[in-house]
Amino acid sequence: MARVVVDVMPKPEILDPQGQAVAKALPRLGFEGVTSVRQGKRFELEVDDAVDDATLAKIAETFLANPVIEDWVVRRVEP
Amino acid sequence: MARVVVDVMPKPEILDPQGQAVAKALPRLGFEGVTSVRQGKRFELEVDDAVDDATLAKIAETFLANPVIEDWVVRRVEP
Amino acid sequence: MTSIQQIDTVEHAAATRDHPQPYRELGLKDDEYQRIRDILGRRPTDAELAMYSVMWSEHCSYKSSKVHLRYFGETTTPQMREKMLAGIGENAGVVDVGDGWAVTFKVESHNHPSYVEPYQGAATGVGGIVRDILAMGARPLAVMDPLRFGPADAPDTRRVLPGVVAGIGGYGNCLGLPNIGGEVVFDPSYAGNPLVNALCVGAMRVEDLHLAHATGVGNKIILFGARTGLDGIGGVSVLASDTFSGEETGPGRKKLPSVQVGDPFTEKVLIECCLELFREGLVVGIQDLGGAGLSCATSELASAGDGGMRVELDRVPLRAEGMTPAEILSSESQERMCAVVRPSDVDAFMRVCDRWEVTATEIGEVTEGDRLVITWHGETVVDVPPRTVAHQGPVYRRPVQRPTDQDALRANIPDALPRPSTPDDLRDTVLRMAASPNLCSRRWVTQQYDHYVRGGTVLAQPADAGMIRIDETTGRGVAVSTDCNGRYVRLDPYAGTQLALAEAYRNVAVTGATPVAVTNCLNFGSPEDPGVMWQFEQAVRGLADGCVALGIPVTGGNVSFYNQTGSTAILPTPVVGVLGVIDDVRRRIPTGIGGQAGDALLLLGETRDEFGGSEWAHVVHGHLGGRPPAVDMAREKLLAEILVAGSRDGMVSAAHDLSEGGLAQALVEAVLIDETGCRIAPPDGVDLFVWLFSESAGRVLVTVPRTEEPRFTDMCTMRGLPWTRIGVVDPDARALEIQGVGSIGVAELRETWEGTLPALFD
Amino acid sequence: MSRIGVIIFPGTLDDVDAARAVRHAGAEAVALWHADADLRGVDAVVVPGGFSYGDYLRAGAIARFAPVMGEVVAAAKRGMPVLGICNGFQVLCEAGLLPGALTRNASLHFVCRDQWLRVENTATVWSTRFEPGAEILVPLKSGEGCYVADQHTLDELEGEGRVVFRYLLDSGGGTGSPNGSRNDIAGITDARGRVVGLMPHPEHAIDPLTGPTDDGLGLFLSVLDAVGAAGALAEAVSGR
Ligand SMILES: Nc1ncnc2c1ncn2[C@@H]1O[C@H](COP(=O)(O)OP(=O)(O)O)[C@@H](O)[C@H]1O
Ligand SMILES: [Mg+2]
């Protein structure tokens, strides 16, 4: 059993209204000094040891992320 | 300037329909061996150096995460 | 994994009579716990204790309200009952609406969860009421959401309202149910205790009515839908940390959040799956799992059936590891249903579930005798008479006392409040009222709700009532409205509740539909407060007596107590829902006055100087006192008959009910809906302020085509309904022109009316 | 009679409405189940709105892998007319039949409203019944309706006239999007003008009783002209 994390973030050139909404709201709540916020997704997967890196890459690229609008990173983590 | 990542995940005992939908779909797409998926949010913040850890913790707890149903982790990362 | 030996069995309970149990933490009183011991002749097991405590809670047992709710049944005459196929006591009331169609509708509250977690609280509120409707055998067709919040500009309202609205939209939209109406009311009394009520309406062929009965010995009990997890088990987690042996090493759980997360996709699939099961005739009885989860479903099914029931709890598909029987029985995981199925149909049942990829598990069967027996890996953990759990909970006749401040409140009449009198002041008042949070456009909210899906929505926001078509061939449809002005109820709970009924009834009638049935959601403070109980008793009596006067029955409802912040209760808020039938939705009456130049505007009913509890007194003076407007049920009935006749004969081209904000507000809305204009000439000698802002009940603004005017007014005169011709439609004016007040352009009106909520919540 | 397929995924919601629109236009509506890799001989396909598989991951992300979608993609490559409405548009983008993607509305709120559109291209099989530049009023109801694509793709779409519908502020007013879409794009077509996707819901504008107008019927009548003619030709050639 292995634990895998896939981070999926909107591409820098794509508008990120959610991140912007957070960034705008923070000063109103009294939090100064946050200059930019981007919001993406985090997936935590548990996979059988038989699942290799190529398969994980494929899962991320074809399914968890949409390459038109998102970047992604796959990494195995310690359980 | 510092880069901060906040990972927000549904609490283990809370239903995660999103992760569940992904987990159910994978075998249909021909990907076997993924036994569990949980889906959360990832925030990437750029903050002034003046912003301290206590403030970051507060931002995460009161705003980025919903403590009733989510757990969160704040970490500073190399730029 | 919890080991089997740690589980508290019936056998073990019988042997350890004196083992102390945390019944108080579970909300049971000493005498209630003793009663359970008396019923069982021993101490309850953990699982039994979990079941009794949740089923005997106020929410499930109606222990404080039962003695009052009986009045509904006592006052319903056989004639009122004629069209009622199922009533109080079933999951939802069912009414025969003609052409072989039956319609079911019900409102339920999800107030407390929505305060803690607005999005999920509201979302699961919608999910729960939809399953109630589904459990009657009906296809859910539409939802509505009566809501109450604290002051519009309060910071906490900014947290609660957007979350609640997003949750209702998020769940309902994804479920594919049009949202056809609701309410948004702001009042300081709801600040720490918002009200989130959800209504669902569904339809079925009369012969498809399914009732929640576990009948037929040998029939199988099948649990299907989502897996069971630790959500919503709240207080029951104390049992897990306090196992019978008192072992320190027990797998104690930290107190779990009692918040549930909704999965509308699973529910959508569950709906389609259930409807296919009904169509195929594979269901003998069915029950939704809502509050109290399996405890409720198993005990209610068994208690309504003709035998007993045996359940193997270890078969329940779980989402979390190591759940105890008590936790499984109390879990409020969403999107689950429980069906009773003939053994010969089980395979077919499973095939349908497979097709929809719905998890379904046989967990037990209907047995001889009258016990509900639940086992866990072969050992008996529950052995109870099911009626004692589901229906024979404690009943309280709580002290009732008219609050001491009621007289002072009534004496504090609004007559001395300074009133506007110059044209400019009146014009300003029209605009100020139109922009006020309770009267301004609800678009910011309703724009987040899909009202088009299913293609049957004929009227939705901002119409007085929502209307959907249920039969595409004949055009038969239903209209629904919910209403309640908590300030009126506070001033006079009996009359105030009748005013709520009258308004919902009128709102249905102005669409051209005939009102046929009533449901309710009674939101009140603590039943342990005699003043609150007095309000409750008065409200129930007012509603029941009002229904008798109108000749339509209460078919169901819901009670929500303990709505208060500290010792301050909310305004008593008995939300009343009225269902109407229309044989052909093509003759529905729209709300906006339309663009036909020269059409006559008539005001039906009488206007009196009535400002007690009015919106004007609230907005301009922050005043609440005096008496609410007078209510006259006979007049409401006549008004409805005339509107329906007007619709049938094509005499009325638009109709809009007058309520909060009076005639002025009705005109503002009726003009803006169609982006049109009108010229209003108040009758000679009226007090303009009273005429424009009074909230006298029993009034409707109608538009009548020029050619129909004599026929329509003759009908009103003949039947004794007072009417006044107050002006004409003038689309070219693109303004609301009122003699003695001035002209307000449509653009200014729109900006005023629509700007408020976006400014507060965007 | 022409036969138009309406695809149903778990979570599809507007299939009843799409089928009703097809019938109003005078064709037979054929339900196509997501799990069956079979188009049952239909002449054209509508991928309707809803929340396929809950749309929890990303709108349309799971649906595009459904067995029926393989057939739709193959048929589209052969030139079969395909219309994606709302969630259907999202599915077609995810499936690569149309370029770009649909993301959260700029307001972050779901938006349900009557929306004016301008018909920019009347040469697709789904838009021949409209006058060039026609303004139509149809419902829009979506939470992820913000059309995005990289600049190159946008230039290509504009350059080739492949924007079929554009959002208008108002009838007679300028363009303006209710959800942040690039270039106020409401709907686009593939290079051949046979696959069209749009966020607004023409199938909910077929009868003023239940929709704002009957403007949406034009899409369904257009495709029937196309497949009707093609059908007649095929029949003539095969000598039936
Ligand atoms: N205020 C009320 N007026 C009339 N009937 C009520 C009222 N409150 C509850 N009931 C009826 O009591 C029964 C139990 O209510 P409830 O517990 O809300 O139903 P469910 O078990 O389906 O959630 C239902 O038939 C309901 O219609
Ligand atoms: Mg129920």
Side-chain angles (χ1 to χ4, degrees):
Chain A
M1 235 2 144
R3 272 192 68 207
V4 175
V5 171
V6 181
D7 290 322
V8 176
M9 296 299 293
K11 286 194 178 182
E13 67 271 23
I14 295 282
L15 189 73
D16 170 21
Q18 304 185 88
Q20 271 177 13
V22 173
K24 262 201 205 156
L26 286 173
R28 251 187 294 159
L29 301 176
F31 298 113
E32 302 291 340
V34 178
T35 52
S36 132
V37 180
R38 297 195 62 81
Q39 178 174 339
K41 298 173 198 159
R42 175 186 166 93
F43 298 90
E44 292 181 359
L45 282 61
E46 311 239 334
V47 304
D48 291 345
D49 293 330
V51 179
D52 60 11
D53 287 354
T55 305
L56 290 174
K58 191 126 185 252
I59 290 176
E61 174 176 354
T62 58
F63 186 49
L64 298 182
N66 178 351
V68 177
I69 47 172
E70 293 165 329
D71 293 325
W72 64 98
V73 178
V74 182
R75 57 206 153 85
R76 290 178 183 264
V77 296
E78 294 309 305
Chain B
M1 240 353 149
R3 272 191 69 208
V4 176
V5 170
V6 181
D7 290 323
V8 176
M9 296 299 293
K11 289 194 182 186
E13 67 269 20
I14 291 278
L15 176 70
D16 171 21
Q18 306 176 348
Q20 206 172 282
V22 171
K24 261 200 188 165
L26 284 170
R28 268 203 308 259
L29 311 188
F31 298 113
E32 301 293 340
V34 179
T35 52
S36 131
V37 181
R38 297 195 62 85
Q39 179 177 336
K41 297 175 201 154
R42 175 185 166 95
F43 295 90
E44 293 181 0
L45 282 60
E46 311 240 335
V47 304
D48 293 345
D49 293 330
V51 179
D52 61 10
D53 287 355
T55 306
L56 289 174
K58 190 122 187 259
I59 289 176
E61 173 174 356
T62 58
F63 193 55
L64 300 182
N66 177 348
V68 181
I69 51 176
E70 293 168 327
D71 293 327
W72 65 96
V73 178
V74 182
R75 58 207 153 85
R76 291 178 182 264
V77 295
E78 293 309 303
Chain C
M1 263 311 223
T2 313
S3 66
I4 297 160
Q5 292 88 314
Q6 281 176 307
I7 298 305
D8 190 18
T9 62
V10 166
E11 195 184 350
H12 185 266
T16 54
R17 312 186 63 89
D18 300 328
H19 168 67
Q21 295 185 286
Y23 60 87
R24 285 205 192 108
E25 286 90 324
L26 294 174
L28 287 169
K29 301 262 179 336
D30 293 351
D31 55 338
E32 291 173 343
Y33 177 66
Q34 188 51 49
R35 225 182 105 206
I36 298 169
R37 297 186 65 117
D38 294 346
I39 289 169
L40 298 177
R42 57 172 162 80
R43 75 163 174 88
T45 64
D46 281 356
E48 287 165 342
L49 186 60
M51 267 181 116
Y52 277 104
S53 66
V54 63
M55 289 300 289
W56 284 13
S57 69
E58 185 64 56
H59 177 75
C60 293
S61 73
Y62 290 87
K63 57 188 166 193
S64 305
S65 54
K66 235 176 198 164
V67 294
H68 300 286
L69 296 180
R70 267 184 211 136
Y71 191 67
F72 288 130
E74 290 161 14
T75 50
T76 307
T77 63
Q79 205 180 355
M80 289 159 75
R81 224 178 278 273
E82 239 164 45
K83 295 234 156 28
M84 203 156 95
L85 302 176
I88 296 177
E90 298 298 340
N91 280 321
V94 183
V95 192
D96 185 336
V97 299
D99 282 356
W101 286 101
V103 166
T104 173
F105 75 136
K106 187 179 177 190
V107 205
E108 226 163 45
S109 64
H110 230 220
N111 305 339
H112 300 119
S114 303
Y115 182 62
V116 178
E117 180 15 55
Y119 185 99
Q120 295 297 348
T124 52
V126 173
I129 190 68
V130 167
R131 285 193 300 281
D132 261 325
I133 294 306
L134 185 59
M136 300 309 293
R139 174 180 275 283
L141 292 177
V143 296
M144 299 175 78
D145 58 326
L147 308 175
R148 305 287 185 285
F149 301 101
D153 54 2
D156 199 47
T157 304
R158 226 189 130 86
R159 169 185 75 94
V160 176
L161 182 145
V164 164
V165 170
I168 288 167
Y171 204 99
N173 296 344
C174 187
L175 214 49
L177 290 178
N179 184 308
I180 59 167
E183 298 168 78
V184 181
V185 179
F186 299 97
D187 185 274
S189 77
Y190 305 113
N193 199 119
L195 302 185
V196 175
N197 293 177
L199 176 149
C200 183
V201 53
M204 70 197 112
R205 301 299 296 170
V206 169
E207 62 272 17
D208 293 338
L209 178 58
H210 278 82
L211 300 178
H213 298 165
T215 52
V217 171
N219 283 343
K220 303 299 180 190
I221 311 298
I222 298 182
L223 177 66
F224 60 119
R227 289 171 170 268
T228 299
L230 286 167
D231 14 17
I233 68 169
V236 169
S237 41
V238 306
L239 282 170
S241 53
D242 187 66
T243 53
F244 73 95
S245 58
E247 275 172 34
E248 300 293 310
T249 54
R253 290 196 197 288
K254 55 183 187 301
K255 179 123 166 59
L256 292 162
S258 54
V259 172
Q260 303 122 51
V261 169
D263 178 354
F265 168 65
T266 295
E267 178 126 322
K268 163 69 181 168
V269 173
L270 193 58
I271 291 173
E272 298 303 330
C273 179
C274 278
L275 292 172
E276 190 169 331
L277 292 168
F278 297 156
R279 258 195 319 273
E280 307 277 313
L282 300 174
V283 173
V284 175
I286 189 156
Q287 170 81 44
D288 58 295
L289 274 75
L294 269 172
S295 294
C296 177
T298 53
S299 62
E300 284 194 352
L301 273 174
S303 128
D306 55 7
M309 196 194 282
R310 184 186 51 78
V311 172
E312 292 174 50
L313 206 57
D314 44 285
R315 290 189 168 211
V316 172
L318 301 180
R319 222 178 58 228
E321 282 183 12
M323 286 180 71
T324 64
E327 288 172 335
I328 296 168
L329 282 168
S330 347
S331 162
E332 295 191 349
S333 286
Q334 301 289 297
E335 292 95 21
R336 298 179 297 164
M337 301 286 282
C338 202
V340 182
V341 181
R342 280 178 293 267
S344 54
D345 288 335
V346 168
D347 287 347
F349 187 103
M350 293 299 179
R351 270 198 301 278
V352 172
C353 291
D354 267 357
R355 177 176 140 84
W356 289 100
E357 297 180 31
V358 166
T359 309
T361 315
E362 191 183 311
I363 60 166
E365 64 180 18
V366 179
T367 55
E368 305 267 5
D370 58 359
R371 305 289 289 189
L372 169 61
V373 176
I374 300 180
T375 61
W376 179 251
H377 295 289
E379 303 220 48
T380 302
V381 291
V382 171
D383 183 352
V384 297
R387 282 199 70 77
T388 64
V389 181
H391 295 291
Q392 290 162 356
V395 173
Y396 294 132
R397 182 172 290 281
R398 305 250 189 216
V400 166
Q401 182 153 37
R402 191 167 188 271
T404 45
D405 68 352
Q406 199 71 24
D407 286 332
L409 196 63
R410 291 287 289 266
N412 180 16
I413 57 174
D415 296 20
L417 301 174
R419 300 174 168 195
S421 56
T422 68
D424 277 355
D425 286 353
L426 286 165
R427 190 180 185 282
D428 286 349
T429 308
V430 172
L431 289 170
R432 178 163 175 201
M433 296 288 286
S436 68
N438 283 338
L439 298 183
C440 69
S441 166
R442 267 68 194 112
R443 205 167 128 103
W444 188 90
V445 171
T446 58
Q447 189 164 260
Q448 298 186 45
Y449 304 150
D450 183 351
H451 59 266
Y452 279 116
V453 67
R454 300 200 59 75
T457 305
V458 176
L459 294 173
Q461 321 79 354
D464 285 318
M467 183 184 287
I468 49 170
R469 180 174 60 191
I470 55 177
D471 187 326
E472 280 195 48
T473 319
T474 62
R476 185 165 292 266
V478 293
V480 189
S481 174
T482 72
D483 288 285
C484 179
N485 182 326
R487 289 196 306 265
Y488 294 169
V489 185
R490 176 74 175 88
L491 296 180
D492 182 340
Y494 184 91
T497 307
Q498 294 200 332
L499 282 163
L501 170 66
E503 191 183 341
Y505 181 89
R506 201 182 318 126
N507 280 337
V508 163
V510 292
T511 67
T514 304
V516 293
V518 175
T519 189
N520 64 61
C521 190
L522 308 177
N523 306 275
F524 286 77
S526 166
E528 293 158 44
D529 175 340
V532 167
M533 270 330 271
W534 175 79
Q535 292 174 332
F536 184 81
E537 179 187 64
Q538 291 290 307
V540 167
R541 298 206 158 237
L543 180 57
D545 294 348
C547 285
V548 171
L550 294 172
I552 57 176
V554 172
T555 62
N558 178 243
V559 177
S560 173
F561 277 133
Y562 298 104
N563 292 291
Q564 50 185 55
T565 311
S567 61
T568 313
I570 57 163
L571 288 177
T573 313
V575 171
V576 179
V578 171
L579 174 82
V581 181
I582 185 163
D583 51 3
D584 186 350
V585 293
R586 273 165 297 202
R587 70 166 173 83
R588 90 281 185 209
I589 310 176
T591 310
I593 57 174
Q596 198 59 48
D599 276 4
L601 294 174
L602 308 182
L603 177 58
L604 308 183
E606 287 159 291
T607 306
R608 292 172 292 266
D609 187 333
E610 292 179 306
F611 286 92
S614 70
E615 204 59 44
W616 172 77
H618 174 69
V619 170
V620 177
H621 297 287
H623 177 273
L624 174 60
R627 281 167 197 279
V631 53
D632 176 351
M633 289 297 172
R635 170 60 62 77
E636 299 288 351
K637 212 171 160 186
L638 173 61
L639 197 52
E641 284 166 10
I642 284 192
L643 286 161
V644 172
S647 152
R648 267 186 209 290
D649 296 350
M651 288 187 278
V652 176
S653 59
H656 188 18
D657 134 87
L658 267 62
S659 57
E660 285 86 1
L663 176 62
Q665 183 63 21
L667 286 168
V668 167
E669 293 163 4
V671 163
L672 284 178
I673 286 172
D674 287 331
E675 287 273 309
T676 180
C678 66
R679 282 180 281 121
I680 302 298
D684 290 338
V686 293
D687 176 329
L688 260 186
F689 166 75
V690 171
W691 195 66
L692 286 172
F693 297 103
S694 162
E695 296 183 4
S696 295
R699 295 182 304 159
V700 171
L701 171 70
V702 295
T703 311
V704 177
R706 229 191 296 209
T707 50
E708 301 296 334
E709 203 182 327
R711 198 155 67 109
F712 183 75
T713 51
D714 282 354
M715 174 173 72
C716 293
T717 308
M718 223 166 59
R719 302 202 51 184
L721 179 68
W723 59 273
T724 321
R725 190 178 201 279
I726 63 164
V728 291
V729 175
D730 181 5
D732 294 336
R734 285 189 62 82
L736 170 58
E737 280 180 35
I738 306 174
Q739 267 174 40
V741 176
S743 174
I744 312 176
V746 164
E748 183 182 2
L749 268 187
R750 179 166 297 289
E751 222 169 282
T752 307
W753 187 54
E754 287 198 341
T756 308
L757 295 187
L760 286 165
F761 298 108
D762 261 343
Chain D
M1 195 195 271
S2 301
R3 302 171 76 236
I4 311 287
V6 176
I7 298 200
I8 304 172
F9 303 106
T12 293
L13 306 176
D14 299 291
D15 50 322
V16 264
D17 311 288
R20 187 186 297 116
V22 165
R23 287 195 303 272
H24 265 246
E28 184 191 344
V30 180
L32 300 175
W33 184 241
H34 71 111
D36 301 336
D38 181 359
L39 297 186
R40 299 175 60 191
V42 296
D43 303 304
V45 167
V46 178
V47 190
F51 291 77
S52 50
Y53 300 93
D55 274 353
Y56 294 132
L57 170 60
R58 211 171 48 245
I62 298 182
R64 72 120 154 162
F65 290 102
V68 77
M69 281 309 295
E71 300 302 306
V72 171
V73 171
K77 297 224 160 106
R78 292 194 303 269
M80 180 183 282
V82 177
L83 176 68
I85 304 170
C86 194
N87 192 223
F89 184 17
Q90 296 160 339
V91 172
L92 296 185
C93 287
E94 285 277 338
L97 285 178
L98 292 171
L102 292 138
T103 58
R104 274 296 282 280
N105 291 350
S107 67
L108 298 179
H109 295 304
F110 185 96
V111 172
C112 175
R113 56 184 268 175
D114 297 342
Q115 178 67 44
W116 284 100
L117 305 176
R118 188 164 64 220
V119 186
E120 304 273 41
N121 174 341
T122 56
T124 77
V125 292
W126 295 96
S127 58
T128 48
R129 282 282 185 120
F130 295 105
E131 297 290 329
E135 295 186 351
I136 62 174
L137 182 65
V138 297
L140 172 74
K141 51 186 191 82
S142 43
E144 297 185 29
C146 174
Y147 182 76
V148 298
D150 59 39
Q151 196 55 47
H152 171 76
T153 306
L154 289 172
D155 291 345
E156 197 173 275
L157 287 173
E158 296 289 358
E160 295 174 5
R162 285 167 56 194
V163 175
V164 185
F165 301 100
R166 217 183 291 272
Y167 294 113
L168 294 178
L169 285 172
D170 225 328
S171 175
T175 64
S177 121
N179 48 28
S181 290
R182 297 292 303 272
N183 296 17
D184 301 323
I185 289 174
I188 56 173
T189 179
D190 68 343
R192 285 195 287 174
R194 304 192 72 82
V195 178
V196 167
L198 78 167
M199 284 313 295
H201 287 264
E203 84 284 19
H204 282 292
I206 59 163
D207 177 355
L209 180 69
T210 52
T213 60
D214 59 5
D215 292 349
L217 215 44
L219 282 90
F220 301 92
L221 293 170
S222 297
V223 78
L224 290 188
D225 290 346
V227 302
L233 187 66
E235 274 173 39
V237 171
S238 70
R240 271 185 290 160

